[in-house]
Amino acid sequence: MSVASPFHSLSAFPPTPADIDGRVDTESLCRLLDRLCDAGVASIGLLGSTGIYAFLTREERLRAVQAAVECVAGRVPLVVGAGALRTDHAVDLTRDAEAAGADALLLAPVSYTPLTQEEAYQHFLAVTKAAKLPLCIYNNPGTTHFTFSRDLLQRLSEIETIRAVKMPLPVDSDFRGELAALRQTTNLEIGYSGDWGAAEALLSGADAWYSVVGGLFPRVALALTTAAIAGDRAETLRLDGLLQPLWKTFKDFGSIRVVYTLVDVLSLAQVQLPRPLLPLGPMDRQRVLDAVEPLIALER
């Protein structure tokens, strides 16, 4: 499909159902994606951090993309994560995603040895040369331990196919200041992850919310996004208030553990966290279920 921009409004990031050996359950994945398409999300972020991209082989990532493209069938743009430790591996994943029919790419500078700004630039440059797809920079220092300088974001924005950046929440919570600074120096579409800051980010003028909760509760997440983009602060904060207990579990347990708990307890799919990650214990699982109880009715 032809996509003008997959980097606006709600981009929902679902988990990737897989067994303990990292074999993707494509039927379960399709059921999760159907829910997102039916809800009307603006794009789907396949193989993001919640989608356990870092734990899957190239072959399984390709199976997931192929299954998603077939299932979604052009209803919603698919933004596919292509992050990998080695540049040549990221290039291979990029080519796989493009050949399978992805609409856009999401790229994190995954590293073990901390990257320099120039190393990250060359990494992104190599990926953009491997495919024509529009690309979103995945700025996620919490997992990659790499922080993009403003100068680097400006350089990357000059590459034709790099169109957007997925930002972490600003440490000082100054969304408006950060957005103004980024728009002054880049032509990137600017979105945020870190779900508990999404309401304020969107009310401050962010272009997109790259949402973990949107992968499981797309109607609630879309309602919040729509209200915030329309400038309806009261409705945005009302919905954000319903999500606060869930945000607390994200902070306490890590969103990936919470999401995979919810997939299981809501009977959306049979999933297992990739080792060495361990599932939550009974008391913590109950706390997660209690946190989402007000949301379940809103998804029907």
Side-chain angles (χ1 to χ4, degrees):
M1 65 185 290
S2 175
V3 180
S5 174
F7 307 124
H8 273 94
S9 190
L10 177 67
S11 185
F13 279 66
T16 305
D19 64 21
I20 199 68
D21 297 316
R23 177 78 173 172
V24 174
D25 179 349
T26 55
E27 290 186 8
S28 293
L29 175 62
C30 187
R31 286 196 297 273
L32 293 175
L33 299 181
D34 275 336
R35 295 176 73 248
L36 305 185
C37 292
D38 291 345
V41 302
S43 66
I44 292 171
L46 188 74
L47 297 175
S49 296
T50 307
I52 60 171
Y53 77 93
F55 296 92
L56 298 174
T57 65
R58 177 184 177 185
E59 293 73 21
E60 289 303 309
R61 289 167 74 163
L62 177 56
R63 285 184 68 244
V65 179
Q66 290 171 332
V69 169
E70 181 179 359
C71 174
V72 171
R75 289 177 290 170
V76 175
L78 279 171
V79 182
V80 175
L85 197 61
R86 292 172 56 100
T87 298
D88 55 343
H89 292 176
V91 164
D92 288 340
L93 292 162
T94 293
R95 289 173 174 155
D96 286 348
E98 184 174 52
D103 296 298
L105 299 171
L106 178 69
L107 183 65
V110 182
S111 62
Y112 179 79
T113 299
L115 300 179
T116 67
Q117 299 289 299
E118 184 62 26
E119 287 166 344
Y121 177 81
Q122 293 297 332
H123 181 70
F124 275 77
L125 182 62
V127 166
T128 60
K129 288 180 177 179
K132 302 291 187 183
L133 296 176
L135 183 146
C136 179
I137 298 164
Y138 191 179
N139 184 2
N140 188 10
T143 57
T144 64
H145 309 293
F146 178 82
T147 300
F148 288 83
S149 68
R150 294 272 172 83
D151 287 343
L152 177 57
L153 289 174
Q154 182 176 6
R155 286 183 72 194
L156 290 171
S157 75
E158 294 167 358
I159 298 174
E160 182 181 2
T161 54
I162 295 182
R163 308 283 177 78
V165 61
K166 177 178 185 279
M167 293 291 290
L169 303 179
V171 175
D172 61 1
S173 299
D174 182 13
F175 290 100
R176 293 187 185 277
E178 182 169 83
L179 286 163
L182 287 171
R183 286 178 174 142
Q184 186 175 19
T185 56
T186 79
N187 58 359
L188 299 172
E189 298 172 63
I190 305 163
Y192 284 88
S193 53
D195 278 17
W196 49 90
E200 200 56 47
L202 291 167
L203 286 168
S204 298
D207 297 304
W209 174 18
Y210 297 98
S211 174
V212 173
V213 74
L216 290 185
F217 297 101
R219 297 184 189 280
V220 176
L222 187 58
L224 187 153
T225 303
T226 301
I229 290 175
D232 188 342
R233 187 174 188 87
E235 177 63 4
T236 302
L237 296 183
R238 183 188 74 81
L239 291 166
D240 187 54
L242 293 177
L243 288 157
Q244 286 300 320
L246 183 58
W247 300 158
K248 183 66 165 56
T249 67
F250 278 15
K251 294 175 184 178
D252 289 349
F253 305 130
S255 60
I256 189 170
R257 296 181 184 87
V258 173
V259 165
Y260 280 76
T261 296
L262 287 170
V263 172
D264 183 33
V265 299
L266 298 177
S267 300
L268 298 175
Q270 290 189 339
V271 297
Q272 296 196 54
L273 280 168
R275 296 293 184 266
L277 301 180
L278 296 174
L280 299 180
M283 291 182 64
D284 293 335
R285 284 169 63 90
Q286 186 58 50
R287 185 178 151 197
V288 169
L289 189 56
D290 291 344
V292 299
E293 188 173 354
L295 308 178
I296 294 173
L298 298 179
E299 286 297 316
R300 297 194 179 111

